[in-house]
Amino acid sequence: MVVDIGYFVLLCLLSGVLAWIDIDHGIIPNWLNLTIAGLGLSKALIIGGPSAGLEAACEGAAIGAVFWLLRGLYFSLRKIQGLGLGDVKFLAAAGIWVGVAGLPMLLMIAALTALACAGVMQFAVSCNSPDGN
């Protein structure tokens, strides 16, 4: 229980740093993705043992591979990048934490959060325009 809370606090801190850097610079640094992935693997190893660590690593790698392929497919169809490589690496690191079963919920929460932020930003822009539109 104490271990779970400690890992949760560290994950929240790292996620906050990640969001700050991404908003400020438009990138997700490799060192941060690796730190999140390593923290997830250490949690899986400590709580579940070597087999849980291996399973978490394989799920993270599989999730990363799927999104890397989707990134390539999107580029081949549209000729523009729809997903940055840092995002793909972050999804792989997040996959270590949530696994394949938690991926749909993770993506839904991410999409709803992005929509809410875009709505707030649009509202702020319309409130600050001279004609109110």
Side-chain angles (χ1 to χ4, degrees), residues 35-71:
T35 303
I36 291 170
L39 191 65
L41 283 175
S42 71
K43 179 180 182 264
L45 283 168
I46 289 171
I47 292 176
S51 63
L54 181 61
E55 182 180 344
C58 289
E59 285 184 316
I63 289 168
V66 166
F67 279 95
W68 181 75
L69 290 171
L70 287 173
R71 177 181 188 264

Coordinates of all heavy atoms in Angstrom, one line a residue, residues 35-71:
T35 N 12.4 7.5 -17.7 CA 12.2 7.5 -16.3 C 10.9 6.9 -15.9 O 10.7 6.1 -15.0 CB 12.4 8.9 -15.7 OG1 13.7 9.4 -16.1 CG2 12.2 9.0 -14.2
I36 N 9.8 7.3 -16.7 CA 8.5 6.8 -16.4 C 8.4 5.3 -16.7 O 7.8 4.6 -15.9 CB 7.4 7.6 -17.3 CG1 7.3 9.1 -16.7 CG2 6.1 6.9 -17.3 CD1 6.5 10.0 -17.6
A37 N 9.0 4.9 -17.8 CA 9.0 3.5 -18.1 C 9.8 2.7 -17.0 O 9.3 1.6 -16.5 CB 9.7 3.2 -19.4
G38 N 11.0 3.2 -16.6 CA 11.8 2.5 -15.6 C 11.0 2.4 -14.3 O 11.1 1.4 -13.6
L39 N 10.4 3.5 -13.9 CA 9.6 3.5 -12.6 C 8.5 2.5 -12.7 O 8.2 1.7 -11.7 CB 9.0 4.9 -12.4 CG 8.4 5.2 -11.0 CD1 9.5 5.1 -10.0 CD2 7.8 6.6 -11.0
G40 N 7.8 2.4 -13.8 CA 6.7 1.4 -14.0 C 7.2 0.0 -13.9 O 6.6 -0.9 -13.3
L41 N 8.4 -0.3 -14.6 CA 9.0 -1.6 -14.5 C 9.4 -1.9 -13.1 O 9.2 -3.1 -12.7 CB 10.2 -1.7 -15.5 CG 9.8 -1.8 -16.9 CD1 11.1 -1.8 -17.8 CD2 9.1 -3.1 -17.2
S42 N 10.0 -1.0 -12.4 CA 10.5 -1.3 -11.0 C 9.2 -1.6 -10.1 O 9.3 -2.5 -9.3 CB 11.3 -0.2 -10.5 OG 10.5 1.0 -10.2
K43 N 8.1 -0.9 -10.4 CA 6.9 -1.1 -9.6 C 6.4 -2.6 -9.9 O 6.1 -3.3 -8.9 CB 5.8 -0.1 -9.9 CG 4.5 -0.4 -9.1 CD 3.5 0.7 -9.5 CE 2.2 0.5 -8.7 NZ 1.2 -0.3 -9.4
A44 N 6.4 -2.9 -11.1 CA 5.9 -4.2 -11.5 C 6.8 -5.3 -10.9 O 6.3 -6.3 -10.4 CB 5.8 -4.4 -13.0
L45 N 8.1 -5.1 -10.9 CA 9.1 -6.1 -10.4 C 8.9 -6.2 -8.9 O 8.9 -7.3 -8.3 CB 10.5 -5.7 -10.7 CG 10.9 -6.0 -12.1 CD1 12.3 -5.3 -12.4 CD2 11.1 -7.5 -12.4
I46 N 8.8 -5.1 -8.2 CA 8.7 -5.1 -6.7 C 7.4 -5.7 -6.2 O 7.4 -6.5 -5.3 CB 8.9 -3.7 -6.1 CG1 10.3 -3.2 -6.3 CG2 8.5 -3.6 -4.7 CD1 10.6 -1.8 -6.0
I47 N 6.3 -5.4 -6.9 CA 5.0 -5.8 -6.4 C 4.7 -7.2 -7.0 O 4.1 -8.0 -6.2 CB 3.9 -4.8 -6.8 CG1 4.1 -3.5 -6.0 CG2 2.5 -5.4 -6.6 CD1 3.2 -2.4 -6.3
G48 N 5.0 -7.5 -8.2 CA 4.6 -8.7 -8.9 C 5.7 -9.7 -9.1 O 5.4 -10.9 -9.6
G49 N 6.9 -9.3 -9.0 CA 8.0 -10.3 -9.3 C 8.5 -10.2 -10.7 O 7.9 -9.4 -11.5
P50 N 9.4 -11.0 -11.1 CA 10.0 -11.0 -12.4 C 9.0 -11.3 -13.6 O 9.1 -10.6 -14.6 CB 11.1 -12.1 -12.4 CG 11.4 -12.3 -10.9 CD 10.1 -12.0 -10.2
S51 N 8.1 -12.2 -13.3 CA 7.1 -12.5 -14.4 C 6.2 -11.3 -14.7 O 5.9 -11.0 -15.8 CB 6.3 -13.7 -14.1 OG 5.5 -13.5 -12.9
A52 N 5.8 -10.5 -13.6 CA 5.0 -9.3 -13.8 C 5.8 -8.2 -14.5 O 5.3 -7.5 -15.4 CB 4.5 -8.8 -12.5
G53 N 7.1 -8.1 -14.2 CA 8.0 -7.2 -14.9 C 8.1 -7.4 -16.3 O 8.1 -6.5 -17.2
L54 N 8.3 -8.7 -16.7 CA 8.4 -9.1 -18.1 C 7.1 -8.9 -18.8 O 7.1 -8.4 -19.9 CB 8.8 -10.6 -18.1 CG 9.0 -11.1 -19.6 CD1 10.1 -10.4 -20.3 CD2 9.3 -12.6 -19.5
E55 N 6.0 -9.2 -18.2 CA 4.7 -9.0 -18.8 C 4.5 -7.5 -19.1 O 4.1 -7.1 -20.1 CB 3.6 -9.5 -17.9 CG 2.2 -9.3 -18.5 CD 1.1 -9.9 -17.6 OE1 1.4 -10.6 -16.7 OE2 0.0 -9.5 -17.9
A56 N 4.8 -6.6 -18.1 CA 4.6 -5.2 -18.2 C 5.5 -4.7 -19.3 O 5.1 -3.8 -20.1 CB 4.9 -4.5 -16.9
A57 N 6.8 -5.1 -19.4 CA 7.7 -4.7 -20.4 C 7.2 -5.1 -21.8 O 7.3 -4.3 -22.8 CB 9.1 -5.3 -20.2
C58 N 6.7 -6.3 -21.9 CA 6.2 -6.8 -23.2 C 4.9 -6.0 -23.7 O 4.8 -5.7 -24.8 CB 5.9 -8.3 -23.2 SG 7.4 -9.3 -23.1
E59 N 4.1 -5.7 -22.7 CA 2.9 -4.9 -23.0 C 3.2 -3.5 -23.5 O 2.7 -3.0 -24.4 CB 1.9 -4.9 -21.8 CG 1.1 -6.2 -21.7 CD 0.1 -6.1 -20.5 OE1 0.4 -5.6 -19.5 OE2 -1.0 -6.6 -20.8
G60 N 4.2 -2.9 -22.8 CA 4.6 -1.6 -23.1 C 5.3 -1.6 -24.5 O 5.0 -0.7 -25.3
A61 N 6.1 -2.6 -24.8 CA 6.7 -2.7 -26.1 C 5.7 -2.9 -27.2 O 5.7 -2.3 -28.3 CB 7.7 -3.8 -26.1
A62 N 4.7 -3.7 -27.0 CA 3.6 -4.0 -27.9 C 2.8 -2.7 -28.2 O 2.5 -2.4 -29.4 CB 2.7 -5.1 -27.5
I63 N 2.4 -2.0 -27.2 CA 1.7 -0.8 -27.3 C 2.5 0.2 -28.1 O 2.0 0.9 -29.0 CB 1.2 -0.2 -25.9 CG1 0.2 -1.2 -25.4 CG2 0.7 1.2 -26.1 CD1 -0.2 -0.9 -23.9
G64 N 3.8 0.4 -27.8 CA 4.6 1.3 -28.5 C 4.7 0.9 -30.0 O 4.7 1.8 -30.9
A65 N 4.9 -0.4 -30.3 CA 5.0 -0.8 -31.6 C 3.7 -0.5 -32.4 O 3.7 -0.1 -33.6 CB 5.3 -2.3 -31.7
V66 N 2.5 -0.8 -31.8 CA 1.3 -0.5 -32.5 C 1.1 1.0 -32.8 O 0.7 1.3 -34.0 CB 0.1 -1.0 -31.6 CG1 -1.3 -0.5 -32.1 CG2 0.0 -2.5 -31.6
F67 N 1.4 1.8 -31.9 CA 1.3 3.3 -32.2 C 2.4 3.8 -33.1 O 2.1 4.7 -33.9 CB 1.3 4.1 -30.9 CG -0.1 4.0 -30.2 CD1 -0.4 3.1 -29.3 CD2 -1.1 4.9 -30.7 CE1 -1.7 3.1 -28.7 CE2 -2.3 4.9 -30.1 CZ -2.6 4.0 -29.1
W68 N 3.5 3.1 -33.1 CA 4.6 3.5 -34.1 C 4.1 3.1 -35.5 O 4.3 3.9 -36.5 CB 5.9 2.8 -33.8 CG 7.0 3.1 -34.7 CD1 7.7 4.3 -34.8 CD2 7.5 2.2 -35.7 NE1 8.6 4.2 -35.8 CE2 8.5 2.9 -36.4 CE3 7.2 0.9 -36.1 CZ2 9.3 2.4 -37.4 CZ3 7.9 0.4 -37.1 CH2 8.9 1.1 -37.8
L69 N 3.4 2.0 -35.6 CA 2.9 1.5 -36.9 C 1.7 2.5 -37.3 O 1.6 2.8 -38.5 CB 2.4 0.1 -36.9 CG 3.6 -1.0 -36.8 CD1 3.0 -2.3 -36.5 CD2 4.4 -0.9 -38.1
L70 N 0.9 2.8 -36.4 CA -0.2 3.7 -36.7 C 0.3 5.1 -37.2 O -0.3 5.7 -38.1 CB -1.2 3.9 -35.5 CG -2.1 2.7 -35.2 CD1 -2.8 2.9 -33.9 CD2 -3.1 2.5 -36.3
R71 N 1.4 5.5 -36.5 CA 2.0 6.8 -36.9 C 2.5 6.7 -38.3 O 2.3 7.7 -39.1 CB 3.2 7.1 -35.9 CG 4.0 8.3 -36.2 CD 5.1 8.4 -35.2 NE 5.8 9.7 -35.3 CZ 6.9 9.9 -36.1 NH1 7.5 8.8 -36.7 NH2 7.5 11.1 -36.1

